[in-house]
Amino acid sequence: MDEKYFAKKIEAKWQKIWSDSGAFAAKIVDDKPKFYQLEMLPYPSGNLHMGHVRNYSVGDAIAWYKRLKGFNVLHPIGWDSFGQPAEDAAVKRGVNPRDWTEENIKAMRGQLERLGLSYDWGRQMFAHRPDYYKFDQWFFLKMYDMGLAYKKLTQVNWCETDQATLSNEQASGGLCWRCGNPVTKKDLEQWFLKTTAYADELIDGLDELESGWPQHVIKRQRDWIGRSEGAYVDFAVGGSEQEKIKVFTTRIDTIYGVNSIVLAAEHPIVDQYIGTFSETVRTKIEELRQEKLKPTDREVEIDKDGIDTGLKALNPFSGEEVPVWVGNYVMMEYGTGAVMSVPGHDERDFEFASKFGLPIRRVIVDPDTPVDPDAPVDAAHYEKGVLVQSGDWTGLSSEQAISDMTAHAQARGFGEAAKTYRLRDWGISRQRFWGSPIPIIYCDECGTVPEKFENLPVELPENAPITGTGESPLAKVPEFYEAECPRCGGAARRETDTMDTFVDSSWYFFRYTDHDNEILPFAPEVAEYWTPVDQYIGGDDHAVMHLIYTRFWSKVMRDIGLVKFDEPVKRLLTQGMVVGETFFDDSTGKRVYHPPDRVAVSRDEKGKMTGARASDGTELKYAIERMSKSKGNGVDPDEMVEIYGADASRMFVLFAAPVDHELVWHEAGIEGAVRFLQRLWRFVGKWEPSMAAELAVLTTDAHLSEAAKTLRQKTHQTIKRVDQSLDTLQFNTPVAALMELLNSLYDAKLEPDTATAEEMAAVKESITSTLLMLAPFAPHTAEELYATVIGNENGMIANGARFPVFSEELARADVIEIAVQVNGKLRSRIFASPDAPNGTLESQALADEKVQEHIAGKDVVKVIVVPKRLVNVVVRG
RNA sequence: GCCGAGGUGGCGAAAUUGGCAGACGCACUAGACUUAGGAUCUAGCGUCGAAAGACGUGCGAGUUCGAGUCUCGCCCUCGGCACCA
């Protein structure tokens, strides 16, 4: 072996060996349990960033660990290769999106390969290739048949910057998920997938995921679906029996407090009666409608606004007539677009009523603090309580009233129990070229007709005029849109919108199991072996986008009969962001990343940074920001691999912070990982010549020197720690444990030329264990050294090596240190056997010199002994 | 405003789940080796103190023989949501 650790050389060597031998190609086998390890697939932008490196290093560590633990591991990778950046590139540089994408994939695959990730490259999927998107279309047609895909005219979320439609999930928070700019609304006809059909299942299924998914993701999904239980109540309007306004309320118990009905400006009743409204009212309504189209500014609280239409509605409970208003705070998209306004018990209604001087009545009181029901209402009291001024229901508790009044409304036919959801159907139409065409044809004779399954895929044309102005480029390509009606054979027009790229990622990981199937997206029996995904890893920015869509898709696949389970991902891990240190010039805002040659950092004697200057002497400020090219604080993974090696880069990323924490990239930190690998390399190099020969296998009761015995104990303690950590998805602590073990190997102070045969065997056992445990973090180095130590060139994978087995007996120390406290304060330490009886420990502690000093002249009240840990002497006086 | 997560050395963090706070690493300090060091090795490194020792996990209380960990109250930071009836 080389004297020096030369990362590039061994990395290239092992990458070739793995690739040539098909080491990571997955096959269905009977004699091992399967493990499906998956990471969120990359968008082929052309450049890998450190976030990818983190994501994939974690995934690879698990894949390696599971392989060494005897699992049959499937660890695939593919490309989320449809999407807007390809079109942006086409607009900006006139390149063909397809060529641009293919080239990027090639470049990024190279980057991934240089990291030595253990993927089964043979199973790659490419979203932009017809053999894949054919099945997006296949699924679409299935959903169309099932009534789960439909078209309607609605206000869609529209991003002016990107000139693109967004789903609700992609416009969450009123900001575009891609560019972060505020979202506006636009009227557009578009195709929807009925995610709401599975709303209850999507929410209830979260219970099953509690044990394997991060809590915050579950919480966000639950909030996003936003189920709320209450009742619909009909208010007759315009003095007619037939015309009704249906409201949704969760507080039917407050219905005697209704002072008005408030409608969203877009409510159909408004249009129906618009002719009867005064000019002033019509103008105001138009104004309110326009306001809603504007982008939402989150910082500014919107003032309540509205107008009395002059219409009257009848409260079916009280028989009271109340005015019908239009209000800007009522959303057409939620509930029924109409609310019963109860200012006494709802904050928003209170604000509205206060502003317009509408009457406010109290109908709920707190039974414990009696108030005069007629006293003026100072604020909205939304707490539940006991009903007052509520006809026959007066005196009931809110809970009782809710159930009784709902039943009453139902019996009389003017209401019913209802559930509403915040979740809305998924709008998938995109006026884009670079996506999967929606397989629908419009025929003048037959109307909307689905394409025939046998005509799939509906292929994208070679070229289209891409302008980035918001219309679908496909609408300008006659060869594409001119079609034959699948029903009557007449001339017809093809749908020119393409699907949201989130469609591709909703089912891609099933395709890996059977990636070249031409008939079906995948064969159910093949998927049955590999799926569901055992461990999924990605950023939590997808908590409500991709991760809701893919759950929805699985439920549809189950109903089609492709899979048998409800939830596609058993365990989910969300890794934290990788952020960069930036130095910037406060006056110009110009940012500089921190390679030491460009920024001079001054520190005090403790190492704390006191200031920073650019090379020209300007004083710089320090900040931590999301890594990005525009901020100039990005780190190029290729450069890291070039300088430090893939193993050190990967190891550092795992070691530097817990996976779910944000990771601040410090160039210096990576050197620690390099030093560790070099130290290990030197140690193995020193011992390797004497270990090439077969050494005796150590038995459990081998008679060992003190040094060798201690080493063996440490080795086994480390095996336990590393095994447990990896099993519970911790990666920083096992790396630390391996560093400790290497420190112990050095501390043992054994030398090859003086060591006994037993000591040599103990060192060898320790080293082999270290290398096997290192493989998940630094596989190339581990393989290379392992091959050297065991004298077999093929390495771990080829030899079917297994994770070292922990032995409780060997991990146990003969003598352990036990803390001795007096009144809870640490006073001394004693040494004892780990299984010394409590009585022995007690008397040993009491006899201790320092303890004696502290208890002299006092009464020993009691002595608490915690086996293997401490003795606490409690004294008084 | 509502919901969630979290405050531990100069920094990233550990802490066997109520039992020796600060493992491991970075940075820093001193020394050795060296033609050289941004290599390697040795030692030091929570605060105060010469030492003995005292204090120390955001702040204040409580439970306990014992609290970073449990309970209550407050402060701060970071995320998510935004009139969801």
Side-chain angles (χ1 to χ4, degrees):
Chain A
M1 82 189 254
D2 290 338
E3 199 171 317
K4 284 193 95 169
Y5 173 66
F6 191 33
K8 247 172 129 173
K9 186 171 159 190
I10 58 168
E11 285 170 9
K13 171 184 166 186
W14 285 96
Q15 283 163 18
K16 184 163 192 312
I17 292 175
W18 293 330
S19 159
D20 290 351
S21 64
F24 308 121
K27 285 175 211 70
I28 293 179
V29 294
D30 297 328
D31 57 343
K32 282 176 173 182
K34 70 94 183 177
F35 192 89
Y36 191 169
Q37 169 57 46
L38 182 71
E39 297 105 53
M40 289 185 188
L41 82 178
Y43 175 80
S45 63
N47 292 296
L48 213 61
H49 51 75
M50 288 316 291
H52 290 125
V53 175
R54 192 176 198 194
N55 192 172
Y56 303 145
S57 297
V58 172
D60 210 48
I62 299 173
W64 267 96
Y65 170 64
K66 288 292 174 181
R67 261 180 225 119
L68 290 172
K69 291 292 275 186
F71 285 86
N72 184 29
V73 173
L74 173 60
H75 189 211
I77 186 80
W79 306 95
D80 191 14
S81 43
F82 266 145
Q84 199 167 332
E87 285 184 56
D88 293 346
V91 174
K92 232 190 262 172
R93 282 174 277 155
V95 293
N96 182 312
R98 189 174 284 105
D99 299 341
W100 184 83
T101 302
E102 291 285 354
E103 273 167 37
N104 287 348
I105 289 176
K106 221 161 119 192
M108 286 176 79
R109 175 172 174 166
Q111 291 185 296
L112 292 174
E113 283 175 330
R114 284 191 284 284
L115 282 165
L117 299 160
S118 63
Y119 290 125
D120 180 353
W121 286 102
R123 290 175 184 261
Q124 277 176 103
M125 54 69 60
F126 304 84
H128 73 289
R129 293 192 184 167
D131 64 326
Y132 183 79
Y133 70 70
K134 170 182 179 178
F135 293 104
D136 288 339
Q137 298 169 349
W138 186 95
F139 276 118
F140 182 92
L141 293 178
K142 285 281 178 190
M143 290 195 210
Y144 185 82
D145 285 347
M146 294 160 84
L148 292 171
Y150 66 94
K151 193 179 196 188
K152 74 172 175 194
L153 176 73
T154 50
Q155 274 186 3
V156 299
N157 301 299
W158 179 258
C159 174
E160 273 301 324
T161 315
D162 285 346
Q163 289 287 311
T165 314
L166 301 169
S167 70
N168 287 313
E169 288 78 9
Q170 291 158 352
S172 171
L175 303 174
C176 171
W177 74 285
R178 290 194 63 240
C179 66
N181 288 307
V183 170
T184 54
K185 301 273 181 184
K186 186 173 177 178
D187 283 326
L188 216 57
E189 258 208 296
Q190 79 160 354
W191 284 94
F192 285 86
L193 298 183
K194 218 171 193 170
T195 44
T196 55
Y198 293 87
D200 274 318
E201 259 205 82
L202 285 169
I203 247 186
D204 296 335
L206 293 171
D207 295 341
E208 187 187 316
L209 301 176
E210 293 279 356
S211 59
W213 282 39
Q215 253 193 333
H216 71 276
V217 174
I218 291 182
K219 170 92 175 69
R220 280 178 63 185
Q221 292 216 354
R222 207 167 258 144
D223 289 351
W224 186 259
I225 300 163
R227 178 163 66 197
S228 122
E229 299 184 21
Y232 289 137
V233 182
D234 297 331
F235 284 66
V237 69
S240 122
E241 283 287 302
Q242 282 77 43
E243 289 304 333
K244 282 166 181 161
I245 297 174
K246 190 187 280 296
V247 303
F248 174 74
T249 178
T250 55
R251 295 296 302 277
I252 197 172
D253 57 315
T254 65
I255 203 162
Y256 278 79
V258 171
N259 73 341
S260 60
I261 295 295
V262 186
L263 304 176
E266 316 92 289
H267 197 283
I269 288 281
V270 175
D271 282 323
Q272 198 178 326
Y273 285 90
I274 196 102
T276 70
F277 298 163
S278 73
E279 189 56 36
T280 337
V281 173
R282 279 193 296 220
T283 315
K284 186 72 191 176
I285 289 172
E286 189 46 39
E287 186 195 319
L288 294 174
R289 285 181 179 178
Q290 289 307 316
E291 277 298 315
K292 286 207 175 176
L293 299 179
K294 291 188 181 164
T296 40
D297 185 348
R298 309 187 50 173
E299 306 305 315
V300 183
E301 182 118 353
I302 304 155
D303 274 337
K304 297 274 182 296
D305 198 3
I307 190 155
D308 187 347
T309 62
L311 284 173
K312 300 286 178 205
L314 194 69
N315 184 333
F317 275 86
S318 65
E320 201 176 356
E321 246 193 4
V322 292
V324 177
W325 284 65
V326 168
N328 65 344
Y329 73 103
V330 181
M331 299 185 299
M332 194 58 223
E333 304 82 28
Y334 184 78
T336 61
V339 302
M340 56 178 224
S341 182
V342 185
H345 305 286
D346 181 281
E347 279 184 66
R348 296 147 300 174
D349 296 343
F350 180 82
E351 206 187 308
F352 193 71
S354 305
K355 176 159 181 185
F356 292 103
L358 301 172
I360 302 174
R361 190 186 301 152
R362 186 189 315 268
V363 290
I364 304 287
V365 294
D366 178 356
D368 300 325
T369 47
V371 273
D372 174 9
D374 295 319
V377 181
D378 54 331
H381 297 277
Y382 48 81
E383 303 83 10
K384 289 182 178 171
V386 170
L387 279 67
V388 293
Q389 311 196 82
S390 295
D392 295 348
W393 284 276
T394 298
L396 291 184
S397 69
S398 289
E399 287 78 9
Q400 190 64 48
I402 287 172
S403 90
D404 288 5
M405 293 169 96
T406 305
H408 175 79
Q410 192 143 9
R412 296 294 187 86
F414 57 75
E416 61 185 317
K419 276 190 258 180
T420 63
Y421 303 86
R422 201 190 112 115
L423 180 74
R424 276 161 253 157
D425 286 338
W426 175 15
I428 57 157
S429 297
R430 296 293 179 270
Q431 297 68 51
R432 289 280 159 194
F433 169 71
W434 200 228
S436 181
I438 295 173
I440 287 288
I441 289 161
Y442 304 106
C443 170
D444 289 339
E445 298 299 317
C446 316
T448 302
V449 185
E451 182 57 278
K452 291 179 178 161
F453 278 94
E454 58 265 38
N455 291 345
L456 300 184
V458 177
E459 276 200 56
L460 286 172
E462 271 307 308
N463 271 299
I466 299 170
T467 56
T469 48
E471 304 89 40
S472 173
L474 293 176
K476 294 169 194 143
V477 185
E479 313 84 81
F480 177 80
Y481 66 71
E482 284 170 1
E484 189 176 282
C485 170
R487 195 163 296 158
C488 71
R493 189 182 164 92
R494 199 177 281 292
E495 167 69 63
T496 55
D497 282 354
T498 53
M499 299 183 208
D500 184 358
T501 56
F502 278 79
V503 165
D504 307 307
S505 53
S506 291
W507 65 280
Y508 75 101
F509 48 91
F510 289 89
R511 185 66 179 173
Y512 290 138
T513 64
D514 192 15
H515 72 285
D516 48 12
N517 197 317
E518 288 172 18
I519 313 297
L520 289 171
F522 53 89
E525 62 277 12
V526 179
E528 189 171 3
Y529 176 81
W530 291 113
T531 57
V533 169
D534 292 284
Q535 179 68 59
Y536 199 20
I537 308 171
D540 64 2
D541 40 339
H542 284 293
V544 290
M545 296 195 287
H546 167 56
L547 289 169
I548 282 210
Y549 298 143
T550 196
R551 292 183 60 224
F552 158 75
W553 212 275
S554 292
K555 291 172 198 302
V556 173
M557 290 196 292
R558 178 204 57 201
D559 291 348
I560 293 173
L562 285 169
V563 300
K564 290 180 179 156
F565 47 78
D566 299 320
E567 292 296 339
V569 173
K570 285 201 209 160
R571 290 206 300 182
L572 173 72
L573 179 64
T574 51
Q575 102 264 9
M577 250 199 297
V578 181
V579 294
E581 290 187 296
T582 337
F583 289 89
F584 63 95
D585 183 337
D586 211 11
S587 54
T588 61
K590 202 180 157 212
R591 289 168 159 77
V592 196
Y593 178 61
H594 172 45
D597 54 342
R598 273 202 281 158
V599 179
V601 176
S602 48
R603 295 176 188 279
D604 66 14
E605 59 177 30
K606 282 183 177 164
K608 189 179 188 172
M609 190 168 66
T610 51
R613 283 177 189 284
S615 46
D616 61 3
T618 358
E619 196 158 319
L620 297 173
K621 295 235 161 144
Y622 175 80
I624 287 168
E625 299 173 308
R626 181 173 201 150
M627 276 190 170
S628 75
K629 265 193 190 160
S630 59
K631 292 212 176 87
N633 64 349
V635 178
D636 178 13
D638 260 351
E639 222 173 283
M640 290 301 113
V641 171
E642 183 66 28
I643 302 171
Y644 305 104
D647 280 349
S649 304
R650 291 171 54 172
M651 196 166 170
F652 170 63
V653 158
L654 294 173
F655 175 66
V659 239
D660 50 341
H661 284 208
E662 191 175 80
L663 168 56
V664 183
W665 187 265
H666 279 114
E667 189 83 24
I670 196 170
E671 313 236 8
V674 179
R675 279 202 277 269
F676 167 77
L677 293 173
Q678 286 173 337
R679 236 160 92 79
L680 178 65
W681 187 271
R682 283 197 301 272
F683 190 87
V684 174
K686 188 170 80 175
W687 285 85
E688 173 246 338
S690 30
M691 288 190 308
E694 277 300 313
L695 292 175
V697 177
L698 288 180
T699 53
T700 314
D701 52 358
H703 185 73
L704 293 176
S705 64
E706 225 21 71
K709 206 194 274 175
T710 311
L711 185 58
R712 230 179 161 198
Q713 285 160 2
K714 183 70 180 176
T715 305
H716 278 269
Q717 288 159 4
T718 306
I719 293 170
K720 187 179 185 180
R721 279 175 70 188
V722 173
D723 198 7
Q724 275 183 353
S725 300
L726 287 174
D727 215 39
T728 53
L729 305 177
Q730 287 174 279
F731 305 92
N732 54 333
T733 44
V735 173
L738 291 175
M739 288 174 169
E740 276 186 56
L741 181 54
L742 180 61
N743 289 344
S744 299
L745 277 162
Y746 274 97
D747 290 345
K749 301 252 189 285
L750 293 167
E751 291 300 328
D753 37 357
T754 54
T756 64
E758 284 77 21
E759 286 171 336
M760 216 168 269
V763 170
K764 185 171 180 175
E765 180 190 73
S766 187
I767 290 177
T768 2
S769 303
T770 304
L771 296 173
L772 287 163
M773 291 188 282
L774 181 70
F777 311 100
H780 309 89
T781 311
E783 281 274 38
E784 176 68 18
L785 293 178
Y786 185 82
T788 310
V789 169
I790 65 159
N792 181 327
E793 306 202 327
N794 299 322
M796 298 175 189
I797 292 289
N799 282 297
R802 288 296 158 87
F803 201 82
V805 178
F806 165 70
S807 154
E808 185 78 55
E809 199 184 342
L810 292 173
R812 202 181 57 229
D814 300 337
V815 173
I816 53 170
E817 198 183 79
I818 289 178
V820 183
Q821 300 179 333
V822 176
N823 283 352
K825 286 193 188 288
L826 182 71
R827 295 302 180 193
S828 186
R829 292 183 171 87
I830 56 175
F831 293 90
S833 147
D835 23 51
N838 288 2
T840 314
L841 293 176
E842 180 173 337
S843 44
Q844 207 179 328
L846 288 170
D848 184 86
E849 205 177 308
K850 283 195 176 155
V851 173
Q852 281 295 328
E853 281 174 32
H854 283 94
I855 63 175
K858 296 174 182 166
D859 293 338
V860 173
V861 180
K862 64 174 157 176
V863 178
I864 286 148
V865 180
V866 183
K868 294 184 199 171
R869 300 232 186 285
L870 61 60
V871 178
N872 187 13
V873 183
V874 186
V875 293
R876 201 167 38 202

